[in-house]
Amino acid sequence: MTHPADTHCPYCALQCAMTLTPTTGTTDAAANAAPDAHVHSAPVTVEGRDFPTNRGGLCKKGWTSAELLRSPSRLGAPLVRGADGALHEASWDEALDLIATSLRGIRSEYGADAVGVFGGGGLTNEKSYLLGKFARLALGTSRIDYNGRYCMSSAAAAGNRAFGVDRGLPFPLEDLDGAETILLLGTNVAETMPPFIGHLAGAQAAGGLVVVDPRRTATARLTDDGKGLHLQPAPGTDLPLLLGLIHVVIAERLVDVDYVESRTVGFDRVRRSVAAWWPERVQSVTGVAALTIRRLARRLAAGGTTYLLTGRGVEQHVDGTDTATAAINLALLLGLPGRAGSGYGTLTGQGNGQGGREHGQKCDQLPGYRKIVDPEARAHVAGVWGVDPADLPGPGVPAIELLKLLGVDGGVRALMVHGSNLVVSSPNVREVREGLGRLDLLVVCDFFLSETAALADVVLPITQWAEEEGTMTSLEGRVIRRRRAVTPPAGVRDELWILHELAERLGCTAAFDTDPEQVFEELRLASEGGLADYSGIDYAMLDRGDAAYWPFPRDSGGTPRLFADRFAHADGLARLVPVTVRESARPAPTPGTDEITLVTGRLLEHYQSGAQTRRVPELLASQPEALASIHPATAERLGIGDGDEVEISNHRGVVRCRARHTPDIRPDAVFLPFHYGDDQAANLLTSDAVDPISSMPEFKTNVVRMRSIADAASIRRAEETGVLA
């Protein structure tokens, strides 16, 4: 291919627009060269493209994204584990025949639910849709879930509970430009999606950018010089902080009474539930001054254009749904959702984190955000698929429960992984590794030999974003086009083709089209009438550049702004839901000990498990290793020098890395990025305890001990010998 392609970045849900232009001399022959043929220069140049979200800007990850297309570590042929225990190249027929034969045997011996599928929030809408269909028809299994369970599940559960629908931002991102006040709770957009910060300029100019984060992040520093306010609560105390803000709003009569009476139900129960959270009590729990809490509540209620936005920092907890619900309650009491110039939203993280959770990857879901237990939903989707509704399996189990079933009696004997690096991104990584090792068959589709792919029995090399067509749904609920710019290498295949080939080998007679546009046409029909209705969207519309925000029923103009007139519950009213602080929700450091709270998060240079960005030389050189960020006062107390090699440990595992002193973190916490593998994987330390509503794991706050390597070795010798070193 020789013509430029207008597409979008392969990374986060901001989905920055870019144009890819094939470089001079890029030919199909070069594209089809083997990965070791020294054709490693990027086959396309990347230019930022003017689009409402990024306005021509890109971050480091976007600018360097093309380097991965011809990376020397790119997989160029299927790999099959041999009798010698090593992975060896195989033909596609050999690999697919092996998979199909193994799956048939496992299903015959153990039943259909002995096969599991683990998807990803980076898959296109077409792949997400077809993967869900493949699991339920070709495999007949209920056991499918995806890594969005680690990202958006608490926010989604809270949104569905309060509003009756889950769309991350129920308004276009551009609406933020006119805001006087923006409250960012637990999100570091300056590093995770840098072009986003252009939309904060209005609030900064008005002195109204408010950032809540235990760390003084790059986003928190945007509030400097009178541009706003940074609140630095103790890790895991966002819920009490929000309850304190609600208390002030009610106590000082700052509630938008007309809005609450006409558009919500449940106020009296919420009023009673926050009565005990006066600001001074909140200060004692969070460390945020009572005066600051009162001033912030008054600022939010001042009557200007105000937005509340949440991110993973307040959601990736065992009480994440309740914390997100408290943020929604605050927004509803202030009359923000659906009001012109104001609103509430949550910032989707993964590239297709929104679309990926709408069309069938979730264990309880069918396309269009339909519930799999709903007889009408089952009948509708079964009609599109040409099967009896009774042939569709029932609901499965969420991601963490699915992983706990790996290789156990009555559990999952085979697992297919698409778009996820489980042994870096999952909590309690040691147990996940052990579970994968117990499987009879592990199949991984990936571009590279990720940490998870390295454990697989079969690895299938797949196309990257610039080599494929499809659609994505951005954090705004806007459906956008991914376009192919270059021909993929000869040895890789698109996942639509892989699912088609496997379905045929498994004897499934349902249609599994390999043309993305035809798959999207089927998705339109399957989603029609659902909450996430895409039936009025087609490729021609998207190729013209038309803005397409779901729900977009047939013959409509779409819905860029939700909730202007009603919410998605049958009565049109939003639910104010009382939530409480569960003191035993998560363990806390024991006073008077060397225990400390581990906070995990992201870096500017890397994305998710780092399986891609750690293979870009410029990004890796900038952040080559995990560094444990610790306050100088805490480091002095623990005897840890700046740059010292340290062990961070708890009963789940041990991380070995170097320490970095910084005043930007609270003295009661240590920060680790989660982009690294092996013994630098932060998730060796995180808990697989989950939120009871969303099944979100506790990623953000875990109790650990931190020691220098020398001290840790000395302590181990003493424990082994009983003699102090």
Side-chain angles (χ1 to χ4, degrees), residues 378-394:
R378 293 172 65 86
H380 175 86
V381 174
V384 174
W385 289 351
V387 299
D388 189 314
D391 293 338
L392 300 179

Side-chain angles (χ1 to χ4, degrees), residues 325-356:
T325 297
I328 293 173
N329 287 342
L330 176 60
L332 288 170
L333 293 175
L334 296 171
L336 305 182
R339 191 176 84 197
S342 293
Y344 165 86
T346 184
L347 303 178
T348 302
Q350 292 191 81
N352 200 31
Q354 181 70 64

